[in-house]
Amino acid sequence: MAIPFKSIDRIFEGAERDGRTFLFEYEVYGMLRLTGLAVPRFKFIPKGRAVGAKDLAGFKSEDLVLKIVAPLIQHKTDVGGVRFVKNRAAAVNAGLKAMLAAVPGLFREWAKSASPAMPPPSDDAIAADIRGVLVCEKVDYEKFGFGTEVLIGIRNTREFGPVLTVGAGGVEVEFLNERLKEESAAAIASPHLLAKKDILGHLEPLAVTAKLIRPFRGRPAVLSATALRDTYARLAALAAHYSPFAANRFVIEEAEVNPFVVRGGVLLPIDGLCRFSRTHVNLKGRPFAEIARLLHPASIAVIGVSERMNIGHIILNNILKQGFPPDKIYVVKPGMDRIEGCRCVPDVAALPETVDLFVLTLAADQCGDVMAELVARGKARSVIIIAGGMGEKQGGENIEARIVRLLADGRAQGRLTPVVNGGNCVGIYSKPGRYDTTFIPAAKLRFPKAERSRLAYISQSGAFMLSRISKLDRIEPLYAVSFGNQLDLRVSDYVNYLKGEPDVRIFAIYMEGFKPGDGFLLAKAVRAVLADPGRSVVVYKGGRSAEGRKATSSHTASVAGEYGVCRAVLENAGAFVADTIFEFENILIALDALDGWPVRGNRVGLISNAGFENVTMSDSLGEGDGRLALAAFTDATKARLAAALAPLGIDKLQDVKNPLDTTPVADDAVFGECARAILEDPGVDCAVISPVPMTPAMQTLAPGPGTRENIHDPGSTPSRIIELFRATDKPLVVNIDAGADYDPMAKMLAAAGIPVFRRSDEAVKFLRRYIAARLGRL
């Protein structure tokens, strides 16, 4: 059934004429009914009108619920605004009369206690505010204990637009969700990005989903999966239509049903709210195509270069060091002919050509005039503004606003107008563009060199980006973009542009805050990037609030913090979202190591010499389509493993199974042979190898005082793992869960290109996400 949105518009129009930005409960029921959902029988009775038998003709329940309808009164139960009466006109009228008489005084007392500093409204004002009473059937529904009432809410977020949240509902919602794992408590998604075919997979991890659509202790499922999916799909269509990104007059800011209950195999709302606005966000016309000139310039100009070494001079030297031709670099500096062999011009007007890239290194208060001249004279196609002090310093916002207006006016007039990166950024490094505009001296930051460059850093923080470049010294970036305050270009612009560069295989993104709607554009861009299953996007989000594990509540506005929304939407789009900087770095190292490896399936082999490692790894395999499945070893592999374990008597201590526990008795040769047998099993697609290195049976220490071990010995465990890694084409990761004494072992493995983790759960989590992404199952 198509949703009659024009009829829903009329509900919003009526509320707007009444001076409201919210719907009354009966209007919410009307909206849900038009959306195609079942709703309880209801009727609005205006104040001053008595209820007759005709009004109650359609009500079948023995009891009815009366609810006060008044703009001021949101918490009806607290002020006597809810009553249960018998389904008879006389009983209803008596209940109406008693409610209308009692509510003004009760509301005044409630308002005094809720806001002691504010004078409460008078009884007359409250009585005048009451519009009438909503008569509803008393819904007798199936009660199956905790977890069978559902909250579904729509919330418009500044960064991602509308999101749908589903979780356990009713009065027990807080109790349940404080005790559930985060992924089991609530599911958050963008209705613009979640396809109907993916809805059930999205909802599958929820505890409430399992309680509703699966048999429970001999009781059949109370709701069909189809009914759950269709309810969600209709609410998603409602949210997408009334999105701030859509060309409609109204925007749903928040809509919530808490709870939906099950009656006769149907989800039925028994409470609802909705707030709306006309606040839209224009996402059209982003200038990301112009980034081509920024990242691959044929000419560069720099302003702010001193004869002595300053930020501008460091940037000039860094540009030259990367091999950019000096005859295509211009320095805007009066009174000089040349600096570092590059031609100087006295001002912007004297530039001999329109440069592809203009690097503005002056102080913030000088940037506005330079930008005005660049736009007026059409002298630059792209600009990097290094200066801080715009968005961060009081008064600086006026400089930023002026530049934003200059750009908007220039584009509206069809004039040559540059795209702008920054301000408050450390610059950009472009290996294909042969330049480096970061202001870090070469002696302080050496860009790594590798056989292949396939990673692009796109970072709001320049310091974060430079620190990763310095630490991850085996990964040479193709691009490193510090975009700062997002005065013009945003993170989604860069991802949208770079998705067209096939050499970029890994996108490493650091974000602190999004411009309105840009989180949604980033999620769309991530999904487009990952249409190529050989590419990856890794995100670390800074600037989070501490939401902890509280994933849902009785109000959708507090269902999850903005970080919770960010993580959910980007993960749904397919990105790796790292919880810590350490995890972010590990994921990048592992993705770089495994780039280009074939992925055949999700059947994993696990091996350790400690039982707890195998338990932890098994607990981390995941659920649903994105899980890792324990591979079933062939009989030949089982015999081979038993033969390898037998000389040390381990076959008498442990059964041969997956995960395989070789026990601490296993030496280098036994552990290595078992790992090889697992990797060579035709039913194994990938593996996690997790030797706990403290066992005296293995060589896991670097040579030194107090030990005869030598990790560089060809027979040592790390040497054998490196040999395995080079011999296989199956993705594998290694876990070394031990302290600093075993850092040399971990570094030796990493130097060989092996993805190394220091906790087994993180190793399995990464492999699970990697395999799911490559198989298109995220």
Side-chain angles (χ1 to χ4, degrees), residues 647-669:
L648 296 179
I650 303 172
D651 59 327
K652 296 181 175 63
L653 303 175
Q654 294 287 346
D655 291 331
V656 173
K657 60 183 180 180
N658 189 16
L660 183 67
D661 179 2
T662 66
T663 80
V665 176
D667 58 19
D668 300 299

Short mmCIF file of all heavy atoms in Angstrom, two decimals, residues 647-669:
data_model
loop_
_atom_site.label_atom_id
_atom_site.label_comp_id
_atom_site.label_asym_id
_atom_site.label_seq_id
_atom_site.Cartn_x
_atom_site.Cartn_y
_atom_site.Cartn_z
N PRO A 647 53.84 -37.11 19.49
CA PRO A 647 55.19 -37.29 20.07
C PRO A 647 55.34 -36.68 21.46
O PRO A 647 56.14 -37.17 22.26
CB PRO A 647 56.10 -36.61 19.05
CG PRO A 647 55.37 -36.71 17.76
CD PRO A 647 53.93 -36.56 18.12
N LEU A 648 54.61 -35.62 21.75
CA LEU A 648 54.68 -34.99 23.08
C LEU A 648 53.54 -35.42 23.99
O LEU A 648 53.37 -34.89 25.08
CB LEU A 648 54.69 -33.46 22.93
CG LEU A 648 55.90 -32.86 22.20
CD1 LEU A 648 55.78 -31.35 22.10
CD2 LEU A 648 57.20 -33.25 22.90
N GLY A 649 52.72 -36.36 23.52
CA GLY A 649 51.62 -36.88 24.32
C GLY A 649 50.44 -35.93 24.46
O GLY A 649 49.54 -36.14 25.27
N ILE A 650 50.41 -34.88 23.63
CA ILE A 650 49.32 -33.90 23.74
C ILE A 650 48.00 -34.50 23.27
O ILE A 650 46.93 -34.10 23.73
CB ILE A 650 49.68 -32.63 22.94
CG1 ILE A 650 51.00 -32.05 23.43
CG2 ILE A 650 48.59 -31.57 23.07
CD1 ILE A 650 51.54 -30.91 22.58
N ASP A 651 48.07 -35.48 22.36
CA ASP A 651 46.84 -36.11 21.88
C ASP A 651 46.10 -36.81 22.99
O ASP A 651 44.88 -37.02 22.90
CB ASP A 651 47.15 -37.08 20.74
CG ASP A 651 48.11 -38.18 21.18
OD1 ASP A 651 48.98 -37.92 22.04
OD2 ASP A 651 47.96 -39.32 20.68
N LYS A 652 46.81 -37.13 24.08
CA LYS A 652 46.15 -37.77 25.23
C LYS A 652 45.54 -36.73 26.17
O LYS A 652 44.74 -37.07 27.04
CB LYS A 652 47.16 -38.63 25.99
CG LYS A 652 47.71 -39.81 25.18
CD LYS A 652 48.67 -40.62 26.02
CE LYS A 652 49.14 -41.87 25.27
NZ LYS A 652 49.89 -41.52 24.05
N LEU A 653 45.92 -35.46 26.00
CA LEU A 653 45.42 -34.39 26.87
C LEU A 653 44.24 -33.63 26.25
O LEU A 653 43.38 -33.12 26.96
CB LEU A 653 46.54 -33.38 27.16
CG LEU A 653 47.82 -33.92 27.81
CD1 LEU A 653 48.86 -32.81 27.91
CD2 LEU A 653 47.51 -34.51 29.18
N GLN A 654 44.23 -33.56 24.93
CA GLN A 654 43.23 -32.73 24.24
C GLN A 654 42.65 -33.47 23.05
O GLN A 654 43.37 -34.21 22.36
CB GLN A 654 43.86 -31.42 23.75
CG GLN A 654 44.32 -30.48 24.84
CD GLN A 654 43.16 -29.80 25.54
OE1 GLN A 654 42.03 -29.81 25.07
NE2 GLN A 654 43.44 -29.22 26.71
N ASP A 655 41.37 -33.26 22.78
CA ASP A 655 40.77 -33.76 21.56
C ASP A 655 41.18 -32.86 20.40
O ASP A 655 41.44 -31.66 20.57
CB ASP A 655 39.24 -33.75 21.66
CG ASP A 655 38.74 -34.79 22.65
OD1 ASP A 655 39.42 -35.81 22.83
OD2 ASP A 655 37.66 -34.55 23.26
N VAL A 656 41.22 -33.44 19.22
CA VAL A 656 41.53 -32.66 18.02
C VAL A 656 40.23 -32.04 17.51
O VAL A 656 39.32 -32.75 17.06
CB VAL A 656 42.16 -33.56 16.94
CG1 VAL A 656 42.31 -32.77 15.64
CG2 VAL A 656 43.49 -34.10 17.41
N LYS A 657 40.14 -30.73 17.62
CA LYS A 657 38.93 -30.03 17.20
C LYS A 657 39.29 -28.57 16.93
O LYS A 657 40.40 -28.12 17.16
CB LYS A 657 37.85 -30.12 18.29
CG LYS A 657 38.26 -29.50 19.61
CD LYS A 657 37.19 -29.69 20.67
CE LYS A 657 37.63 -29.06 22.01
NZ LYS A 657 36.61 -29.23 23.05
N ASN A 658 38.31 -27.84 16.43
CA ASN A 658 38.45 -26.42 16.14
C ASN A 658 37.59 -25.64 17.14
O ASN A 658 36.38 -25.88 17.19
CB ASN A 658 38.00 -26.12 14.71
CG ASN A 658 38.32 -24.72 14.27
OD1 ASN A 658 39.12 -24.02 14.87
ND2 ASN A 658 37.69 -24.29 13.18
N PRO A 659 38.17 -24.75 17.95
CA PRO A 659 39.57 -24.31 17.98
C PRO A 659 40.48 -25.38 18.58
O PRO A 659 40.07 -26.15 19.45
CB PRO A 659 39.53 -23.06 18.86
CG PRO A 659 38.34 -23.22 19.72
CD PRO A 659 37.33 -23.97 18.90
N LEU A 660 41.73 -25.38 18.11
CA LEU A 660 42.70 -26.37 18.57
C LEU A 660 43.53 -25.81 19.71
O LEU A 660 44.15 -24.75 19.58
CB LEU A 660 43.63 -26.77 17.42
CG LEU A 660 44.65 -27.86 17.78
CD1 LEU A 660 43.94 -29.19 18.06
CD2 LEU A 660 45.68 -28.01 16.67
N ASP A 661 43.56 -26.55 20.83
CA ASP A 661 44.38 -26.19 21.99
C ASP A 661 45.57 -27.14 22.02
O ASP A 661 45.43 -28.32 22.35
CB ASP A 661 43.55 -26.30 23.27
CG ASP A 661 44.34 -25.96 24.52
OD1 ASP A 661 45.53 -25.59 24.41
OD2 ASP A 661 43.75 -26.06 25.62
N THR A 662 46.75 -26.61 21.68
CA THR A 662 47.94 -27.47 21.66
C THR A 662 48.55 -27.61 23.06
O THR A 662 49.52 -28.38 23.21
CB THR A 662 49.00 -26.90 20.71
OG1 THR A 662 49.47 -25.65 21.22
CG2 THR A 662 48.44 -26.72 19.30
N THR A 663 48.05 -26.86 24.02
CA THR A 663 48.53 -26.80 25.41
C THR A 663 49.94 -26.19 25.46
O THR A 663 50.66 -26.18 24.45
CB THR A 663 48.55 -28.17 26.10
OG1 THR A 663 49.71 -28.90 25.71
CG2 THR A 663 47.28 -28.94 25.85
N PRO A 664 50.39 -25.72 26.63
CA PRO A 664 51.74 -25.14 26.73
C PRO A 664 52.86 -26.15 26.51
O PRO A 664 54.03 -25.76 26.41
CB PRO A 664 51.77 -24.60 28.17
CG PRO A 664 50.35 -24.44 28.56
CD PRO A 664 49.61 -25.53 27.87
N VAL A 665 52.51 -27.44 26.40
CA VAL A 665 53.53 -28.47 26.15
C VAL A 665 54.08 -28.36 24.74
O VAL A 665 55.23 -28.72 24.47
CB VAL A 665 52.93 -29.87 26.41
CG1 VAL A 665 53.93 -30.96 26.05
CG2 VAL A 665 52.47 -30.00 27.86
N ALA A 666 53.28 -27.87 23.81
CA ALA A 666 53.69 -27.82 22.40
C ALA A 666 54.92 -26.95 22.22
O ALA A 666 54.99 -25.82 22.70
CB ALA A 666 52.54 -27.30 21.55
N ASP A 667 55.90 -27.48 21.48
CA ASP A 667 57.10 -26.70 21.19
C ASP A 667 56.94 -26.00 19.84
O ASP A 667 55.88 -26.05 19.21
CB ASP A 667 58.34 -27.59 21.23
CG ASP A 667 58.28 -28.76 20.25
OD1 ASP A 667 57.46 -28.71 19.30
OD2 ASP A 667 59.05 -29.72 20.43
N ASP A 668 58.01 -25.35 19.39
CA ASP A 668 57.95 -24.60 18.14
C ASP A 668 57.51 -25.47 16.97
O ASP A 668 56.65 -25.09 16.17
CB ASP A 668 59.33 -24.01 17.82
CG ASP A 668 59.84 -23.07 18.90
OD1 ASP A 668 59.18 -22.05 19.15
OD2 ASP A 668 60.90 -23.35 19.49
N ALA A 669 58.11 -26.68 16.89
CA ALA A 669 57.84 -27.55 15.74
C ALA A 669 56.41 -28.04 15.74
O ALA A 669 55.73 -28.04 14.70
CB ALA A 669 58.81 -28.72 15.74
#
